[in-house]
Amino acid sequence: LASVGEVSAAKTAILNSTAPLQAASVSLTSSESWLILPASVQLAQPMEFKVDATNLAAGNYSATVTATANGFVAGELNISVS
């Protein structure tokens, strides 16, 4: 996705809910600091994720993004880059 020492172009993912949910009540967290999360949560619309490879050596990496909201089961997005 990104060359060593650079920030990648954005890739997108869409978060949906089968029950009424306000985007403002959703929090996103990443298991890894090199994954740049969207500035704000949007539901049913593409959200942009980037990789900050500034301090990464060449190799394979993975991260998990967790979406949480009170009263809802957490959702996970697994991201792998090389």
Side-chain angles (χ1 to χ4, degrees):
L1 272 180
S3 297
V4 173
E6 296 181 357
V7 174
S8 72
K11 297 292 183 180
T12 61
I14 297 174
L15 177 63
N16 289 310
S17 175
T18 57
L21 176 63
Q22 298 295 318
S25 67
V26 178
S27 295
L28 297 179
T29 57
S30 173
S31 63
E32 302 297 331
S33 61
W34 49 259
L35 184 64
I36 301 171
L37 299 174
S40 63
V41 175
Q42 298 178 353
L43 298 176
Q45 296 182 30
M47 292 185 291
E48 294 187 343
F49 296 83
K50 295 180 182 180
V51 171
D52 180 355
T54 303
N55 295 311
L56 297 180
N60 298 317
Y61 296 88
S62 61
T64 300
V65 176
T66 304
T68 56
N70 287 336
F72 288 81
V73 174
E76 292 186 343
L77 171 66
N78 295 310
I79 297 175
S80 296
V81 296
S82 56

